[in-house]
Amino acid sequence: MKTIRQSSLNAFELCMFKGYNEYGDIGQTGKADEEELTNKYARVGIVFHEVMEYWGINKMEGKSVNLNSLHELLDTKLDNEDKSLFDDEIEIEKYRTSLHEQLDWTYEKCLCETVSPLGVEVTFALDDLLPDFLTVTGTIDRIDGNMDSKEVRLGDYKTGKVYTKKELSSNIQATLYSLAFYKMFGFLPKAFDFYFTKHKKVKTIQITPEFLKNGTERILSIWYKIKQGEFKPTCENKYFCKNFCNSYSECPKFKKIKTNSSWDKIK
């Protein structure tokens, strides 16, 4: 079964070549899935998410987990990561310090104030979320509120950069996850909270008809381009490409060779 998710749409939107090179034929296991196991940034983020999941599961079961226990769990999980992914022990400790600081902030600002999470790490795979679209997959980090009164908000932990106001106005993840929640439970969440733990900020999107319209149009625009099968490099910032794109070394734009003539279009 072919599937699509928020991260692949973001990659294709940034650069069609990057998207194709990392995700291949949409729905197949591509380089991005394989590199998640060997990418230190991804691994550090996963460690943090696993600690949050542990807290949430215990909260749902009516168990209290103190901050010290979460710090100990974080250390254990980080110690179990492949040390060869990091430059040296100094870099590992740098990440450790940052994660502990993020945990302190999250516990104080986002965990203790939460009355009762309804779901933690809720994974979905849904058909017909959008017209002429593939099955959408994703994982909702947290669902807070009251199902009976339909006062519910979704949340996602982000260990990277803070989104701009423009990005939040049509955010792909908040759109897909809100529509997925609607399909699963029959009503829309009131809001979507992004917890930018490294920067100690919370950014909230109100889930309104206007927001969903903007987000849906953005997603379908990307999908239309993908279906055209023209996977040329589209990123104009060479500094970004060289330093932050996993596809840079193979990019035809910087190798000065022609592209896309032999690639099959996505069906």
Side-chain angles (χ1 to χ4, degrees):
M1 178 179 68
K2 292 185 177 182
T3 64
I4 196 166
R5 60 182 188 269
Q6 163 250 327
S7 56
S8 55
L9 286 168
N10 282 132
F12 275 101
E13 181 181 45
L14 181 64
C15 174
M16 294 301 289
F17 177 79
K18 172 183 170 68
Y20 188 90
N21 196 46
E22 294 185 6
Y23 290 93
D25 188 3
I26 284 291
Q28 308 303 316
T29 299
K31 291 183 179 180
D33 302 278
E34 298 169 0
E35 288 177 354
E36 187 175 84
L37 300 175
T38 58
N39 183 302
K40 61 186 174 184
Y41 305 109
R43 296 308 310 166
V44 168
I46 289 171
V47 165
F48 188 83
H49 277 75
E50 288 177 345
V51 172
M52 294 299 97
E53 180 184 13
Y54 174 80
W55 163 80
I57 290 173
N58 278 274
K59 184 88 171 179
M60 290 171 64
E61 295 176 350
K63 302 174 184 176
S64 177
V65 181
N66 62 45
L67 181 57
N68 287 336
S69 296
L70 295 178
H71 278 299
E72 291 174 1
L73 178 62
L74 190 154
D75 278 330
T76 298
K77 288 186 173 295
L78 190 59
D79 288 340
N80 288 335
E81 290 296 318
D82 183 358
K83 301 299 187 296
S84 67
L85 300 180
F86 302 89
D87 294 342
D88 49 38
E89 190 65 33
I90 294 176
E91 185 178 46
I92 295 174
E93 292 309 309
K94 176 183 176 182
Y95 280 111
R96 187 188 305 276
T97 299
S98 176
L99 287 175
H100 280 300
E101 291 174 353
Q102 292 177 57
L103 179 56
D104 283 336
W105 176 80
T106 306
Y107 189 86
E108 178 183 356
K109 297 296 183 180
C110 309
L111 302 192
C112 290
E113 294 179 359
T114 299
V115 178
S116 176
L118 302 172
V120 182
E121 294 286 312
V122 178
T123 299
F124 60 85
L126 298 171
D127 299 324
D128 304 321
L129 209 56
L130 292 170
D132 187 30
F133 214 60
L134 297 177
T135 298
V136 176
T137 63
T139 300
I140 304 172
D141 282 351
R142 57 189 289 163
I143 303 173
D144 298 290
N146 188 301
M147 291 291 282
D148 293 334
S149 64
K150 299 184 179 180
E151 292 291 330
V152 171
R153 56 201 307 127
L154 310 184
D156 196 82
Y157 300 111
K158 297 294 183 186
T159 56
K161 66 179 182 179
V162 178
Y163 293 157
T164 63
K165 184 177 181 179
K166 180 179 179 181
E167 166 59 33
L168 292 171
S169 68
S170 60
N171 184 266
I172 293 173
Q173 183 176 14
T175 300
L176 290 177
Y177 286 26
S178 296
L179 292 175
F181 184 88
Y182 178 83
K183 187 159 187 179
M184 289 186 287
F185 299 105
F187 65 94
L188 288 167
K190 297 294 185 181
F192 195 105
D193 298 312
F194 284 108
Y195 301 97
F196 295 99
T197 57
K198 184 176 180 180
H199 299 277
K200 300 178 174 62
K201 293 180 181 293
V202 180
K203 296 286 185 177
T204 297
I205 297 172
Q206 300 301 322
I207 305 303
T208 64
E210 181 182 5
F211 167 77
L212 292 176
K213 177 178 179 293
N214 293 338
T216 299
E217 289 178 350
R218 178 180 174 184
I219 292 166
L220 293 180
S221 175
I222 301 168
W223 180 235
Y224 174 78
K225 292 177 182 178
I226 292 173
K227 293 205 299 180
Q228 300 312 298
E230 299 289 330
F231 302 109
K232 294 180 179 180
T234 52
C235 186
E236 299 296 329
N237 189 333
K238 184 175 181 179
Y239 174 82
F240 172 85
C241 296
K242 184 175 182 179
N243 292 281
F244 298 101
C245 180
N246 294 332
S247 302
Y248 176 78
S249 62
E250 302 172 71
C251 183
K253 180 174 182 179
F254 300 111
K255 283 186 173 183
K256 300 185 184 304
I257 62 175
K258 292 183 180 180
T259 183
N260 96 329
S261 58
S262 63
W263 285 334
D264 294 329
K265 291 185 178 182
I266 292 178
K267 300 294 190 282

